[in-house]
Amino acid sequence: MVKTLALLTLLGLGSSVAAQQKAPAYPLITHDPYFSIWSATDELNGSATRHWTGTTQALTGLVKVDGVTYRILGKEEPSYQSLVPTSDERPYSVKYTEQAPTGDWMQAAYDDKGWKTAAAPFGDEPSKGGTLWKSHDLWTRRTFDAGNVANADLFLKISHDDNITVYLNGEQIYNLKGWLNKYVYIAIPEAAKQKLKAKGNVLAIHIENTAGGAFLDAGIARLMPPPAGQTIEKAVQNSVDINATQTIYTFTCGKADVTLTFTSPLLMDDLQLLSRPVSYIAYQVAANDNATHQVQVYFGASSDICANVPSQPVTASKYTNGGLSILKAGTKEQPILKKQGDDLRIDWGYMYVAAPSATRPQQYISTAADAAAAFAKGRTASTTADKSLVLNTAVDLGAVTSTPKEQLFLLGYDDLYALQYFHTNLKAWWKNDATQTIDKQLNAAYNDYATILAKCKQFNEQLHNDAVKAGGEAYAALCELAYRQSIAAHKLAKSPQGDILFLSKENFSNGCINTVDVTYPSAPLFLLYNPDLLKGMMNGIFYFSESGKYTKPYAAHDLGTYPIANGQVYGEGMPVEESGNMLVLAGAIARAEGNANYAKKHWATLTTWAEYLMKEGFDPANQLCTDDFAGHLARNTNLSLKAIAGIRSYAMLARMLGDAAAADKYESAARDMAAHWIQLADDGDHFSLAFESKNTWSQKYNMVWDKVLNFHLFPASVYKKETAFYLAHQQPYGLPLDSRKTYTKSDWILWTAVLTDNADDFRALIAPVYKYATETTTRVPLSDWHETTDGKMVGFQARSVVGGYFMKMLQAKFNPDGDK
């Protein structure tokens, strides 16, 4: 379990708890790319909880002690009322032109009768409705009446792509070079508000479509005051701890102490449990003054969890099943598998909040504005609204003493259909048993709670102890932070051919599904705990080639855009990268299982890829590797290492399958390549970024397989020289990826650190990564691509590749007595 203060002191990174944080964001609900909710502040009651994309998906937790209500989870978000609605709220039209207007076009008195009229929003995606816009510039004018808003706090509600300037009655109220990928509220300055009239106001906009997508939608809203009489105090948070399957908070709520535990039981030895989309939220309350107090607890979950955007209409209901009282919500539209892309939330299927009926829960459906106020006032609420509802559950614990009382809530999600796989819609793994329903899953989760919690505790302790033994306390903390994030970036299902599928989403990198060079860095975690899941990350790629749907002599890059896996969408292949990845991982699976049975099933395909690497892999052409953000690079020495490892893996597999001739051929080739690599890559006190490219360098993270799989292609002197160079070139927040930029990939640093030959050097490379994870000002689920000079995210977040942090543990498992 992560303990911040002790670790920071141990690492010499400071001793002030107030000045430090423990995680960029804290995992609360972690199941798959759609059902994934986080806290982005160190205090759980310091902000509204979010989906990993940053969109609010509010969870609320309250505790009432002797009539005083305390907030422990979430923070009330501002509530707005539309004055000039945006298109997600109500259809509207504007005047527009795509030719630069003359005169004061932004003034209310301007004559725009020569402009066209069209429906909003404007954009380049017809599926979003409105008017198609593909020109470089667009000017719009929208006339509206304001009535009496003298005492209102007004905000511009807007979403746009790209550069924009907005005027209100000729007064500029907003300007941005860039774009937004969601609606935001911008305060309207007082000077502009003073120009508002009861009738005949104009919201005027100029927007430029500079690159990529195009979109415009804008309106005006007023900030609503909080409900009258609502008095909720902020509880004092005392601690937060993160282990593999749980995030645990403690609070003081006046004369009671509260422990709030979020458990997502992602135990990889039980695929049915791993796939079950149910998390536990447990409140444990005890008096802290040796007296008795009357206590009620509350848990609320926004229906925004089941909508892509808050404006989508939803339905909600209440019922009982088995031992549970249940609230359910889902969108009215139910567009199953109709959307694909990166910055999206699920808007099909249904969310569920459940509590044991035996505890006599009060459950009600309300607006967000009424939800917490009703509990604070000791009543329930109802609503006729159909957007951004809250599923509320309150339980009276009665008299509470110093002996803790616990109240359990369950949060679940049934996505109905999870993925589309080569034009067949697939259900989640837990539905392989056709008799299963979400109600059965919720009741099973409740009935097995004590058993599952005990298993989680045992696993948490084992993972922590193994990680400490392998790499120290800071290393263990990084692994604990990475565990749930890596798993929850996948979806588990079964293919029509009967194969396990464990398909990743490239979260905030391009939204691809089942990307091979995302599988590759993620692999150590799954090789450690269940190689079948790694097979589930590879099976679709094998099928793509073996079915004849993909005919190139090297491995594909991806299978589509999440959640649609109908074939590669990435515009360019990565021939050496992906073929090397698949061969290395097939070899690692054989090492983990002690046999090459999996490789045997795909031997013809693996042979094709190995032959490709023999021809093209050693001195790569000008092509991309997994670090594609760095651009194309010819003669990439690190990519060459991957090809060499892939060829050597194939030799190992051939020998395990009894083909001595092939084994000898490919092993000899790998050894010759390694010797040649040392010569061509030598750059004095280190090895170069590209062959014969002097005064350059890069992390040689692909060399790690030579050590982990005991290939012995490179002598110890190569490792020693390279790691000594790394230790001399670290920045405050890590070792740069290479000599071209100061940014890095933290997963690769964790691999590179395994190249060291002693614990002190390993920990020296790990310490700046831990410093990054605990000090970064970028408050999102752990980014694997960050700047080493200031610790800020460059790109990517919540990705599965942090499973690569487990490489040191994998080395320890494969080589318990050290290198052989």
Side-chain angles (χ1 to χ4, degrees), residues 275-286:
S275 178
R276 178 185 292 162
V278 180
S279 275
Y280 300 111
I281 302 97
Y283 292 57
Q284 194 175 76
V285 186

Side-chain angles (χ1 to χ4, degrees), residues 535-588:
K535 295 174 189 175
M537 299 153 77
M538 298 169 68
N539 284 335
I541 301 297
F542 279 123
Y543 173 77
F544 195 20
S545 285
E546 293 164 358
S547 65
K549 301 177 190 299
Y550 181 81
T551 58
K552 297 186 184 299
Y554 48 80
H557 170 271
D558 63 83
L559 291 184
T561 301
Y562 195 92
I564 308 301
N566 291 335
Q568 180 171 309
V569 295
Y570 196 72
E572 178 179 351
M574 297 182 187
V576 173
E577 172 70 38
E578 311 303 18
S579 301
N581 290 340
M582 293 293 286
L583 282 158
V584 168
L585 296 180

Side-chain angles (χ1 to χ4, degrees), residues 2 7 35 60 89 110 131 142 163 184 189 275 356 434 517 522 612 620 638 652 703 717 730 742 762 787 802-803 816:
V2 180
L7 273 175
F35 194 29
T60 305
E89 299 165 328
Y110 179 80
T131 301
R142 183 179 184 186
N163 305 343
V184 299
S275 178
D517 57 286
S522 308
Y612 177 85
N638 190 48
M652 178 186 73
M703 192 179 284
S717 59
Q730 293 202 97
T742 54
F762 175 83
E787 177 55 61
V802 295

Side-chain angles (χ1 to χ4, degrees), residues 207-342:
I207 185 170
E208 299 174 291
N209 176 20
T210 61
F215 187 77
L216 173 63
D217 192 15
I220 296 175
R222 70 173 79 202
L223 180 66
M224 301 302 292
Q230 177 178 326
T231 303
I232 297 177
E233 298 189 17
K234 184 180 179 182
V236 176
Q237 182 176 309
N238 301 314
S239 68
V240 54
D241 292 305
I242 301 171
N243 59 45
T245 65
Q246 297 172 306
T247 303
I248 305 168
Y249 295 86
T250 64
F251 300 90
T252 297
C253 298
K255 296 179 180 179
D257 290 336
V258 179
T259 299
L260 183 61
T261 302
F262 296 86
T263 304
S264 295
L266 305 185
L267 301 177
M268 284 189 269
D269 62 348
D270 184 343
L271 295 187
Q272 191 70 10
L273 179 60
L274 185 73
S275 178
R276 178 185 292 162
V278 180
S279 275
Y280 300 111
I281 302 97
Y283 292 57
Q284 194 175 76
V285 186
N288 57 31
D289 62 353
N290 295 316
T292 300
H293 302 283
Q294 295 296 313
V295 176
Q296 295 85 40
V297 296
Y298 163 93
F299 175 71
S302 170
S303 66
D304 291 345
I305 293 168
C306 62
N308 179 41
V309 293
S311 60
Q312 288 181 279
V314 297
T315 60
S317 59
K318 179 173 65 172
Y319 65 100
T320 60
N321 184 277
L324 298 173
S325 296
I326 302 171
L327 294 168
K328 171 184 178 181
T331 61
K332 291 181 179 178
E333 183 185 3
Q334 289 297 306
I336 296 174
L337 295 170
K338 296 299 184 184
K339 295 183 176 71
Q340 56 184 304
D342 206 348

Side-chain angles (χ1 to χ4, degrees), residues 425-688:
N425 290 352
L426 303 181
K427 296 181 179 181
W429 182 271
W430 65 268
K431 292 187 174 183
N432 288 340
D433 177 355
T435 68
Q436 283 298 312
T437 64
I438 188 63
D439 289 332
K440 289 182 178 179
Q441 291 289 298
L442 287 165
N443 276 281
Y446 170 56
N447 293 330
D448 297 342
Y449 173 60
T451 301
I452 291 171
L453 212 62
K455 289 181 179 178
C456 286
K457 181 179 179 181
Q458 181 181 11
F459 176 76
N460 297 338
E461 292 175 353
Q462 187 66 54
L463 183 150
H464 179 82
N465 293 338
D466 289 346
V468 170
K469 183 178 178 181
E473 288 285 352
Y475 175 66
L478 290 169
C479 289
E480 288 168 317
L481 182 58
Y483 182 83
R484 273 173 284 166
Q485 174 174 316
S486 185
I487 297 171
H490 298 84
K491 189 68 178 184
L492 185 62
K494 181 180 284 189
S495 77
Q497 295 75 35
D499 294 321
I500 183 174
L501 297 174
F502 193 53
L503 305 186
S504 64
K505 179 178 181 181
E506 277 206 58
N507 291 340
F508 270 22
S509 48
N510 70 2
C512 276
I513 187 169
N514 202 195
T515 302
V516 176
D517 57 286
V518 168
T519 294
Y520 176 70
S522 308
L525 171 61
F526 305 100
L527 285 164
L528 265 175
Y529 294 113
N530 191 343
D532 283 344
L533 290 170
L534 180 54
K535 295 174 189 175
M537 299 153 77
M538 298 169 68
N539 284 335
I541 301 297
F542 279 123
Y543 173 77
F544 195 20
S545 285
E546 293 164 358
S547 65
K549 301 177 190 299
Y550 181 81
T551 58
K552 297 186 184 299
Y554 48 80
H557 170 271
D558 63 83
L559 291 184
T561 301
Y562 195 92
I564 308 301
N566 291 335
Q568 180 171 309
V569 295
Y570 196 72
E572 178 179 351
M574 297 182 187
V576 173
E577 172 70 38
E578 311 303 18
S579 301
N581 290 340
M582 293 293 286
L583 282 158
V584 168
L585 296 180
I589 288 172
R591 177 64 189 274
E593 296 185 331
N595 64 72
N597 293 342
Y598 182 66
K600 185 177 181 180
K601 288 176 56 179
H602 304 289
W603 194 243
T605 306
L606 290 170
T607 300
T608 297
W609 295 340
E611 289 173 349
Y612 177 85
L613 292 182
M614 288 281 276
K615 295 175 183 176
E616 306 289 346
F618 172 70
D619 196 348
N622 189 37
Q623 59 183 246
L624 294 172
C625 71
T626 183
D627 305 317
D628 55 352
F629 49 83
H632 293 74
L633 179 66
R635 314 198 74 193
N636 184 336
T637 58
N638 190 48
L639 187 57
S640 176
L641 287 170
K642 180 168 291 181
I644 295 170
I647 291 167
R648 181 62 181 85
S649 294
Y650 182 82
M652 178 186 73
L653 292 166
R655 200 168 302 282
M656 294 175 76
L657 292 173
D659 189 345
D664 290 343
K665 173 186 172 182
Y666 282 87
E667 183 172 345
S668 176
R671 293 197 179 282
D672 289 345
M673 289 178 183
H676 197 197
W677 187 96
I678 294 170
Q679 294 175 345
L680 289 180
D682 188 64
D683 197 11
D685 62 350
H686 68 282
F687 297 94
S688 58

Side-chain angles (χ1 to χ4, degrees), residues 733-735 742-746 749 768-769 772 776 783-795:
Y733 294 97
L735 176 68
T742 54
Y743 58 55
T744 196
K745 290 281 273 81
S746 58
I749 293 179
V769 180
Y772 153 68
T776 181
S783 169
D784 52 286
W785 182 19
H786 73 270
E787 177 55 61
T788 61
T789 57
D790 60 16
K792 293 182 180 179
M793 178 181 78
V794 178

Side-chain angles (χ1 to χ4, degrees), residues 683-699:
D683 197 11
D685 62 350
H686 68 282
F687 297 94
S688 58
L689 168 67
F691 286 133
E692 300 179 307
S693 180
K694 300 302 181 183
N695 301 313
T696 64
W697 63 273
S698 63
Q699 291 188 45

Side-chain angles (χ1 to χ4, degrees), residues 377-453:
K377 294 176 181 178
R379 59 175 177 79
T380 61
S382 61
T383 182
T384 58
D386 65 354
K387 298 175 184 177
S388 291
L389 305 179
V390 178
L391 309 186
N392 308 272
T393 305
V395 177
D396 189 346
L397 299 183
V400 173
T401 65
S402 57
T403 301
K405 282 189 176 182
E406 183 175 79
Q407 178 60 44
L408 180 66
F409 301 93
L410 297 91
L411 183 63
Y413 204 101
D414 180 6
D415 54 18
L416 304 180
Y417 283 90
L419 306 162
Q420 186 174 105
Y421 181 75
F422 294 103
H423 306 286
T424 299
N425 290 352
L426 303 181
K427 296 181 179 181
W429 182 271
W430 65 268
K431 292 187 174 183
N432 288 340
D433 177 355
T435 68
Q436 283 298 312
T437 64
I438 188 63
D439 289 332
K440 289 182 178 179
Q441 291 289 298
L442 287 165
N443 276 281
Y446 170 56
N447 293 330
D448 297 342
Y449 173 60
T451 301
I452 291 171
L453 212 62

